[in-house]
PDB file of all heavy atoms in Angstrom:
ATOM      1  N   LEU W 663     -15.662  37.061  12.917  1.00 94.00           N
ATOM      2  CA  LEU W 663     -15.593  35.813  12.171  1.00 94.00           C
ATOM      3  C   LEU W 663     -16.693  34.845  12.579  1.00 94.00           C
ATOM      4  O   LEU W 663     -17.040  34.732  13.757  1.00 94.00           O
ATOM      5  CB  LEU W 663     -14.240  35.136  12.386  1.00 94.00           C
ATOM      6  CG  LEU W 663     -13.042  35.685  11.627  1.00 94.00           C
ATOM      7  CD1 LEU W 663     -11.777  34.943  12.027  1.00 94.00           C
ATOM      8  CD2 LEU W 663     -13.264  35.561  10.127  1.00 94.00           C
ATOM      9  N   THR W 664     -17.206  34.142  11.591  1.00 89.00           N
ATOM     10  CA  THR W 664     -18.173  33.080  11.854  1.00 89.00           C
ATOM     11  C   THR W 664     -17.438  31.749  11.866  1.00 89.00           C
ATOM     12  O   THR W 664     -16.656  31.460  10.957  1.00 89.00           O
ATOM     13  CB  THR W 664     -19.266  33.048  10.764  1.00 89.00           C
ATOM     14  OG1 THR W 664     -19.926  34.320  10.737  1.00 89.00           O
ATOM     15  CG2 THR W 664     -20.274  31.948  11.029  1.00 89.00           C
ATOM     16  N   ALA W 665     -17.677  30.941  12.901  1.00 94.00           N
ATOM     17  CA  ALA W 665     -17.033  29.633  13.009  1.00 94.00           C
ATOM     18  C   ALA W 665     -18.023  28.546  12.611  1.00 94.00           C
ATOM     19  O   ALA W 665     -19.206  28.596  12.962  1.00 94.00           O
ATOM     20  CB  ALA W 665     -16.545  29.404  14.428  1.00 94.00           C
ATOM     21  N   HIS W 666     -17.535  27.590  11.868  1.00 98.00           N
ATOM     22  CA  HIS W 666     -18.338  26.449  11.431  1.00 98.00           C
ATOM     23  C   HIS W 666     -17.638  25.169  11.865  1.00 98.00           C
ATOM     24  O   HIS W 666     -16.414  25.120  11.959  1.00 98.00           O
ATOM     25  CB  HIS W 666     -18.491  26.440   9.910  1.00 98.00           C
ATOM     26  CG  HIS W 666     -18.954  27.745   9.328  1.00 98.00           C
ATOM     27  ND1 HIS W 666     -20.287  28.064   9.180  1.00 98.00           N
ATOM     28  CD2 HIS W 666     -18.253  28.809   8.868  1.00 98.00           C
ATOM     29  CE1 HIS W 666     -20.390  29.270   8.644  1.00 98.00           C
ATOM     30  NE2 HIS W 666     -19.166  29.742   8.440  1.00 98.00           N
ATOM     31  N   THR W 667     -18.420  24.135  12.106  1.00 98.00           N
ATOM     32  CA  THR W 667     -17.880  22.820  12.430  1.00 98.00           C
ATOM     33  C   THR W 667     -18.251  21.859  11.312  1.00 98.00           C
ATOM     34  O   THR W 667     -19.400  21.840  10.855  1.00 98.00           O
ATOM     35  CB  THR W 667     -18.440  22.313  13.774  1.00 98.00           C
ATOM     36  OG1 THR W 667     -18.016  23.197  14.819  1.00 98.00           O
ATOM     37  CG2 THR W 667     -17.943  20.912  14.085  1.00 98.00           C
ATOM     38  N   ASP W 668     -17.276  21.075  10.863  1.00 98.00           N
ATOM     39  CA  ASP W 668     -17.519  20.132   9.770  1.00 98.00           C
ATOM     40  C   ASP W 668     -16.880  18.797  10.137  1.00 98.00           C
ATOM     41  O   ASP W 668     -15.651  18.698  10.239  1.00 98.00           O
ATOM     42  CB  ASP W 668     -16.939  20.664   8.451  1.00 98.00           C
ATOM     43  CG  ASP W 668     -17.444  19.902   7.235  1.00 98.00           C
ATOM     44  OD1 ASP W 668     -17.669  18.681   7.345  1.00 98.00           O
ATOM     45  OD2 ASP W 668     -17.612  20.520   6.173  1.00 98.00           O
ATOM     46  N   GLU W 669     -17.702  17.785  10.340  1.00 98.00           N
ATOM     47  CA  GLU W 669     -17.195  16.470  10.740  1.00 98.00           C
ATOM     48  C   GLU W 669     -16.310  15.844   9.665  1.00 98.00           C
ATOM     49  O   GLU W 669     -15.488  14.976   9.972  1.00 98.00           O
ATOM     50  CB  GLU W 669     -18.355  15.526  11.061  1.00 98.00           C
ATOM     51  CG  GLU W 669     -19.093  15.889  12.327  1.00 98.00           C
ATOM     52  CD  GLU W 669     -19.949  14.757  12.846  1.00 98.00           C
ATOM     53  OE1 GLU W 669     -20.025  13.710  12.162  1.00 98.00           O
ATOM     54  OE2 GLU W 669     -20.532  14.926  13.925  1.00 98.00           O
ATOM     55  N   ARG W 670     -16.461  16.272   8.424  1.00 98.00           N
ATOM     56  CA  ARG W 670     -15.688  15.670   7.346  1.00 98.00           C
ATOM     57  C   ARG W 670     -14.197  15.979   7.444  1.00 98.00           C
ATOM     58  O   ARG W 670     -13.380  15.284   6.832  1.00 98.00           O
ATOM     59  CB  ARG W 670     -16.230  16.116   5.988  1.00 98.00           C
ATOM     60  CG  ARG W 670     -17.642  15.615   5.700  1.00 98.00           C
ATOM     61  CD  ARG W 670     -18.185  16.212   4.423  1.00 98.00           C
ATOM     62  NE  ARG W 670     -18.307  17.663   4.529  1.00 98.00           N
ATOM     63  CZ  ARG W 670     -18.676  18.464   3.520  1.00 98.00           C
ATOM     64  NH1 ARG W 670     -18.942  17.940   2.335  1.00 98.00           N
ATOM     65  NH2 ARG W 670     -18.781  19.772   3.705  1.00 98.00           N
ATOM     66  N   ILE W 671     -13.832  17.007   8.208  1.00 98.00           N
ATOM     67  CA  ILE W 671     -12.411  17.281   8.418  1.00 98.00           C
ATOM     68  C   ILE W 671     -11.984  16.862   9.820  1.00 98.00           C
ATOM     69  O   ILE W 671     -10.918  17.243  10.296  1.00 98.00           O
ATOM     70  CB  ILE W 671     -12.042  18.756   8.132  1.00 98.00           C
ATOM     71  CG1 ILE W 671     -12.785  19.712   9.066  1.00 98.00           C
ATOM     72  CG2 ILE W 671     -12.296  19.095   6.670  1.00 98.00           C
ATOM     73  CD1 ILE W 671     -12.214  21.130   9.046  1.00 98.00           C
ATOM     74  N   GLY W 672     -12.828  16.048  10.468  1.00 98.00           N
ATOM     75  CA  GLY W 672     -12.446  15.448  11.738  1.00 98.00           C
ATOM     76  C   GLY W 672     -11.398  14.368  11.514  1.00 98.00           C
ATOM     77  O   GLY W 672     -11.184  13.888  10.396  1.00 98.00           O
ATOM     78  N   GLU W 673     -10.766  13.961  12.581  1.00 97.00           N
ATOM     79  CA  GLU W 673      -9.687  12.980  12.529  1.00 97.00           C
ATOM     80  C   GLU W 673     -10.137  11.689  11.849  1.00 97.00           C
ATOM     81  O   GLU W 673     -11.342  11.380  11.794  1.00 97.00           O
ATOM     82  CB  GLU W 673      -9.211  12.683  13.963  1.00 97.00           C
ATOM     83  CG  GLU W 673      -8.066  11.708  14.087  1.00 97.00           C
ATOM     84  CD  GLU W 673      -6.793  12.193  13.415  1.00 97.00           C
ATOM     85  OE1 GLU W 673      -6.728  12.137  12.167  1.00 97.00           O
ATOM     86  OE2 GLU W 673      -5.868  12.603  14.131  1.00 97.00           O
ATOM     87  N   CYS W 674      -9.186  10.949  11.339  1.00 97.00           N
ATOM     88  CA  CYS W 674      -9.485   9.623  10.812  1.00 97.00           C
ATOM     89  C   CYS W 674     -10.132   8.786  11.911  1.00 97.00           C
ATOM     90  O   CYS W 674      -9.759   8.873  13.082  1.00 97.00           O
ATOM     91  CB  CYS W 674      -8.201   8.957  10.322  1.00 97.00           C
ATOM     92  SG  CYS W 674      -8.446   7.357   9.532  1.00 97.00           S
ATOM     93  N   HIS W 675     -11.112   7.979  11.546  1.00 97.00           N
ATOM     94  CA  HIS W 675     -11.726   7.054  12.502  1.00 97.00           C
ATOM     95  C   HIS W 675     -10.825   5.823  12.600  1.00 97.00           C
ATOM     96  O   HIS W 675     -10.868   4.937  11.743  1.00 97.00           O
ATOM     97  CB  HIS W 675     -13.133   6.677  12.038  1.00 97.00           C
ATOM     98  CG  HIS W 675     -14.118   7.805  12.105  1.00 97.00           C
ATOM     99  ND1 HIS W 675     -14.792   8.141  13.259  1.00 97.00           N
ATOM    100  CD2 HIS W 675     -14.520   8.693  11.168  1.00 97.00           C
ATOM    101  CE1 HIS W 675     -15.579   9.177  13.032  1.00 97.00           C
ATOM    102  NE2 HIS W 675     -15.434   9.533  11.769  1.00 97.00           N
ATOM    103  N   TYR W 676     -10.016   5.793  13.647  1.00 97.00           N
ATOM    104  CA  TYR W 676      -9.052   4.703  13.809  1.00 97.00           C
ATOM    105  C   TYR W 676      -9.670   3.459  14.441  1.00 97.00           C
ATOM    106  O   TYR W 676      -8.994   2.443  14.606  1.00 97.00           O
ATOM    107  CB  TYR W 676      -7.861   5.174  14.641  1.00 97.00           C
ATOM    108  CG  TYR W 676      -7.057   6.264  13.979  1.00 97.00           C
ATOM    109  CD1 TYR W 676      -6.958   7.531  14.551  1.00 97.00           C
ATOM    110  CD2 TYR W 676      -6.396   6.040  12.784  1.00 97.00           C
ATOM    111  CE1 TYR W 676      -6.216   8.537  13.954  1.00 97.00           C
ATOM    112  CE2 TYR W 676      -5.657   7.042  12.172  1.00 97.00           C
ATOM    113  CZ  TYR W 676      -5.575   8.288  12.763  1.00 97.00           C
ATOM    114  OH  TYR W 676      -4.845   9.286  12.159  1.00 97.00           O
ATOM    115  N   GLY W 677     -10.930   3.533  14.818  1.00 96.00           N
ATOM    116  CA  GLY W 677     -11.637   2.362  15.316  1.00 96.00           C
ATOM    117  C   GLY W 677     -10.978   1.768  16.554  1.00 96.00           C
ATOM    118  O   GLY W 677     -10.709   2.464  17.537  1.00 96.00           O
ATOM    119  N   ASP W 678     -10.669   0.469  16.486  1.00 96.00           N
ATOM    120  CA  ASP W 678     -10.116  -0.249  17.636  1.00 96.00           C
ATOM    121  C   ASP W 678      -8.721   0.239  18.011  1.00 96.00           C
ATOM    122  O   ASP W 678      -8.227  -0.080  19.094  1.00 96.00           O
ATOM    123  CB  ASP W 678     -10.059  -1.756  17.340  1.00 96.00           C
ATOM    124  CG  ASP W 678     -11.433  -2.358  17.112  1.00 96.00           C
ATOM    125  OD1 ASP W 678     -12.434  -1.705  17.472  1.00 96.00           O
ATOM    126  OD2 ASP W 678     -11.514  -3.471  16.563  1.00 96.00           O
ATOM    127  N   TRP W 679      -8.087   0.981  17.139  1.00 96.00           N
ATOM    128  CA  TRP W 679      -6.760   1.519  17.445  1.00 96.00           C
ATOM    129  C   TRP W 679      -6.846   2.788  18.305  1.00 96.00           C
ATOM    130  O   TRP W 679      -5.851   3.199  18.881  1.00 96.00           O
ATOM    131  CB  TRP W 679      -6.016   1.838  16.150  1.00 96.00           C
ATOM    132  CG  TRP W 679      -5.387   0.654  15.484  1.00 96.00           C
ATOM    133  CD1 TRP W 679      -5.764  -0.654  15.574  1.00 96.00           C
ATOM    134  CD2 TRP W 679      -4.236   0.688  14.625  1.00 96.00           C
ATOM    135  NE1 TRP W 679      -4.941  -1.439  14.820  1.00 96.00           N
ATOM    136  CE2 TRP W 679      -3.991  -0.650  14.220  1.00 96.00           C
ATOM    137  CE3 TRP W 679      -3.416   1.693  14.143  1.00 96.00           C
ATOM    138  CZ2 TRP W 679      -2.946  -0.992  13.372  1.00 96.00           C
ATOM    139  CZ3 TRP W 679      -2.368   1.353  13.295  1.00 96.00           C
ATOM    140  CH2 TRP W 679      -2.136   0.026  12.912  1.00 96.00           C
ATOM    141  N   SER W 680      -7.982   3.401  18.373  1.00 95.00           N
ATOM    142  CA  SER W 680      -8.122   4.680  19.077  1.00 95.00           C
ATOM    143  C   SER W 680      -7.765   4.532  20.554  1.00 95.00           C
ATOM    144  O   SER W 680      -8.194   3.581  21.223  1.00 95.00           O
ATOM    145  CB  SER W 680      -9.553   5.204  18.948  1.00 95.00           C
ATOM    146  OG  SER W 680      -9.885   5.416  17.598  1.00 95.00           O
ATOM    147  N   GLY W 681      -6.977   5.485  21.040  1.00 93.00           N
ATOM    148  CA  GLY W 681      -6.603   5.499  22.442  1.00 93.00           C
ATOM    149  C   GLY W 681      -5.451   4.585  22.797  1.00 93.00           C
ATOM    150  O   GLY W 681      -5.029   4.552  23.961  1.00 93.00           O
ATOM    151  N   ARG W 682      -4.912   3.859  21.831  1.00 94.00           N
ATOM    152  CA  ARG W 682      -3.815   2.933  22.117  1.00 94.00           C
ATOM    153  C   ARG W 682      -2.456   3.624  21.964  1.00 94.00           C
ATOM    154  O   ARG W 682      -2.329   4.638  21.274  1.00 94.00           O
ATOM    155  CB  ARG W 682      -3.894   1.705  21.198  1.00 94.00           C
ATOM    156  CG  ARG W 682      -5.089   0.815  21.486  1.00 94.00           C
ATOM    157  CD  ARG W 682      -5.155  -0.361  20.520  1.00 94.00           C
ATOM    158  NE  ARG W 682      -3.969  -1.222  20.611  1.00 94.00           N
ATOM    159  CZ  ARG W 682      -3.734  -2.236  19.776  1.00 94.00           C
ATOM    160  NH1 ARG W 682      -4.593  -2.514  18.801  1.00 94.00           N
ATOM    161  NH2 ARG W 682      -2.641  -2.978  19.917  1.00 94.00           N
ATOM    162  N   LYS W 683      -1.446   3.063  22.591  1.00 94.00           N
ATOM    163  CA  LYS W 683      -0.089   3.599  22.505  1.00 94.00           C
ATOM    164  C   LYS W 683       0.467   3.369  21.097  1.00 94.00           C
ATOM    165  O   LYS W 683       0.373   2.267  20.551  1.00 94.00           O
ATOM    166  CB  LYS W 683       0.812   2.902  23.521  1.00 94.00           C
ATOM    167  CG  LYS W 683       0.580   3.318  24.960  1.00 94.00           C
ATOM    168  CD  LYS W 683       1.357   4.579  25.281  1.00 94.00           C
ATOM    169  CE  LYS W 683       1.323   4.897  26.762  1.00 94.00           C
ATOM    170  NZ  LYS W 683       2.034   6.169  27.054  1.00 94.00           N
ATOM    171  N   LEU W 684       1.071   4.406  20.516  1.00 93.00           N
ATOM    172  CA  LEU W 684       1.667   4.273  19.192  1.00 93.00           C
ATOM    173  C   LEU W 684       2.803   3.253  19.199  1.00 93.00           C
ATOM    174  O   LEU W 684       2.988   2.505  18.237  1.00 93.00           O
ATOM    175  CB  LEU W 684       2.172   5.632  18.713  1.00 93.00           C
ATOM    176  CG  LEU W 684       1.073   6.611  18.278  1.00 93.00           C
ATOM    177  CD1 LEU W 684       1.617   8.027  18.222  1.00 93.00           C
ATOM    178  CD2 LEU W 684       0.488   6.201  16.938  1.00 93.00           C
ATOM    179  N   ALA W 685       3.559   3.201  20.290  1.00 91.00           N
ATOM    180  CA  ALA W 685       4.658   2.232  20.381  1.00 91.00           C
ATOM    181  C   ALA W 685       4.131   0.805  20.309  1.00 91.00           C
ATOM    182  O   ALA W 685       4.745  -0.072  19.693  1.00 91.00           O
ATOM    183  CB  ALA W 685       5.434   2.450  21.673  1.00 91.00           C
ATOM    184  N   GLU W 686       3.001   0.582  20.915  1.00 93.00           N
ATOM    185  CA  GLU W 686       2.369  -0.740  20.896  1.00 93.00           C
ATOM    186  C   GLU W 686       1.817  -1.069  19.508  1.00 93.00           C
ATOM    187  O   GLU W 686       1.926  -2.200  19.031  1.00 93.00           O
ATOM    188  CB  GLU W 686       1.252  -0.756  21.945  1.00 93.00           C
ATOM    189  CG  GLU W 686       0.298  -1.923  21.908  1.00 93.00           C
ATOM    190  CD  GLU W 686      -0.912  -1.675  22.794  1.00 93.00           C
ATOM    191  OE1 GLU W 686      -0.725  -1.254  23.953  1.00 93.00           O
ATOM    192  OE2 GLU W 686      -2.046  -1.899  22.330  1.00 93.00           O
ATOM    193  N   LEU W 687       1.266  -0.062  18.837  1.00 93.00           N
ATOM    194  CA  LEU W 687       0.698  -0.281  17.513  1.00 93.00           C
ATOM    195  C   LEU W 687       1.761  -0.582  16.468  1.00 93.00           C
ATOM    196  O   LEU W 687       1.464  -1.165  15.422  1.00 93.00           O
ATOM    197  CB  LEU W 687      -0.113   0.953  17.090  1.00 93.00           C
ATOM    198  CG  LEU W 687      -1.411   1.179  17.870  1.00 93.00           C
ATOM    199  CD1 LEU W 687      -1.977   2.561  17.550  1.00 93.00           C
ATOM    200  CD2 LEU W 687      -2.428   0.102  17.562  1.00 93.00           C
ATOM    201  N   GLY W 688       2.988  -0.200  16.746  1.00 89.00           N
ATOM    202  CA  GLY W 688       4.064  -0.468  15.806  1.00 89.00           C
ATOM    203  C   GLY W 688       4.271  -1.937  15.536  1.00 89.00           C
ATOM    204  O   GLY W 688       4.837  -2.315  14.491  1.00 89.00           O
ATOM    205  N   ASP W 689       3.814  -2.801  16.440  1.00 91.00           N
ATOM    206  CA  ASP W 689       3.960  -4.240  16.263  1.00 91.00           C
ATOM    207  C   ASP W 689       2.809  -4.866  15.492  1.00 91.00           C
ATOM    208  O   ASP W 689       2.843  -6.062  15.183  1.00 91.00           O
ATOM    209  CB  ASP W 689       4.074  -4.924  17.640  1.00 91.00           C
ATOM    210  CG  ASP W 689       5.339  -4.503  18.387  1.00 91.00           C
ATOM    211  OD1 ASP W 689       6.352  -4.220  17.722  1.00 91.00           O
ATOM    212  OD2 ASP W 689       5.301  -4.439  19.630  1.00 91.00           O
ATOM    213  N   GLU W 690       1.775  -4.072  15.199  1.00 93.00           N
ATOM    214  CA  GLU W 690       0.631  -4.601  14.462  1.00 93.00           C
ATOM    215  C   GLU W 690       0.998  -4.770  12.982  1.00 93.00           C
ATOM    216  O   GLU W 690       1.583  -3.861  12.378  1.00 93.00           O
ATOM    217  CB  GLU W 690      -0.558  -3.640  14.576  1.00 93.00           C
ATOM    218  CG  GLU W 690      -1.125  -3.489  15.984  1.00 93.00           C
ATOM    219  CD  GLU W 690      -2.055  -4.636  16.339  1.00 93.00           C
ATOM    220  OE1 GLU W 690      -2.340  -5.476  15.460  1.00 93.00           O
ATOM    221  OE2 GLU W 690      -2.495  -4.679  17.510  1.00 93.00           O
ATOM    222  N   PRO W 691       0.646  -5.908  12.358  1.00 95.00           N
ATOM    223  CA  PRO W 691       0.949  -6.095  10.927  1.00 95.00           C
ATOM    224  C   PRO W 691       0.359  -4.987  10.048  1.00 95.00           C
ATOM    225  O   PRO W 691       0.945  -4.612   9.029  1.00 95.00           O
ATOM    226  CB  PRO W 691       0.319  -7.452  10.618  1.00 95.00           C
ATOM    227  CG  PRO W 691       0.291  -8.174  11.924  1.00 95.00           C
ATOM    228  CD  PRO W 691       0.046  -7.116  12.957  1.00 95.00           C
ATOM    229  N   LEU W 692      -0.793  -4.440  10.463  1.00 95.00           N
ATOM    230  CA  LEU W 692      -1.425  -3.393   9.672  1.00 95.00           C
ATOM    231  C   LEU W 692      -0.568  -2.135   9.585  1.00 95.00           C
ATOM    232  O   LEU W 692      -0.657  -1.387   8.608  1.00 95.00           O
ATOM    233  CB  LEU W 692      -2.805  -3.055  10.259  1.00 95.00           C
ATOM    234  CG  LEU W 692      -3.598  -1.936   9.579  1.00 95.00           C
ATOM    235  CD1 LEU W 692      -3.887  -2.259   8.112  1.00 95.00           C
ATOM    236  CD2 LEU W 692      -4.908  -1.674  10.329  1.00 95.00           C
ATOM    237  N   MET W 693       0.282  -1.903  10.604  1.00 94.00           N
ATOM    238  CA  MET W 693       1.070  -0.670  10.599  1.00 94.00           C
ATOM    239  C   MET W 693       1.992  -0.609   9.387  1.00 94.00           C
ATOM    240  O   MET W 693       2.214   0.463   8.821  1.00 94.00           O
ATOM    241  CB  MET W 693       1.879  -0.546  11.893  1.00 94.00           C
ATOM    242  CG  MET W 693       2.700   0.735  11.969  1.00 94.00           C
ATOM    243  SD  MET W 693       1.687   2.257  11.913  1.00 94.00           S
ATOM    244  CE  MET W 693       1.213   2.393  13.647  1.00 94.00           C
ATOM    245  N   GLU W 694       2.519  -1.733   8.968  1.00 95.00           N
ATOM    246  CA  GLU W 694       3.373  -1.744   7.784  1.00 95.00           C
ATOM    247  C   GLU W 694       2.596  -1.306   6.548  1.00 95.00           C
ATOM    248  O   GLU W 694       3.116  -0.589   5.689  1.00 95.00           O
ATOM    249  CB  GLU W 694       3.950  -3.143   7.576  1.00 95.00           C
ATOM    250  CG  GLU W 694       4.989  -3.209   6.464  1.00 95.00           C
ATOM    251  CD  GLU W 694       5.609  -4.584   6.342  1.00 95.00           C
ATOM    252  OE1 GLU W 694       5.080  -5.542   6.947  1.00 95.00           O
ATOM    253  OE2 GLU W 694       6.633  -4.697   5.643  1.00 95.00           O
ATOM    254  N   VAL W 695       1.323  -1.701   6.469  1.00 96.00           N
ATOM    255  CA  VAL W 695       0.466  -1.289   5.354  1.00 96.00           C
ATOM    256  C   VAL W 695       0.175   0.208   5.451  1.00 96.00           C
ATOM    257  O   VAL W 695       0.233   0.931   4.453  1.00 96.00           O
ATOM    258  CB  VAL W 695      -0.852  -2.097   5.347  1.00 96.00           C
ATOM    259  CG1 VAL W 695      -1.721  -1.694   4.161  1.00 96.00           C
ATOM    260  CG2 VAL W 695      -0.569  -3.587   5.315  1.00 96.00           C
TER     261      VAL W 695
END
Side-chain angles (χ1 to χ4, degrees):
L663 283 177
T664 301
H666 309 272
T667 297
D668 194 326
E669 290 197 356
R670 294 174 297 175
I671 62 166
E673 182 62 284
C674 184
H675 291 276
Y676 296 117
D678 297 344
W679 280 26
S680 299
R682 292 178 61 187
K683 286 276 189 183
L684 286 163
E686 168 192 312
L687 290 169
D689 295 329
E690 295 279 354
L692 178 60
M693 181 61 84
E694 187 176 13
V695 182

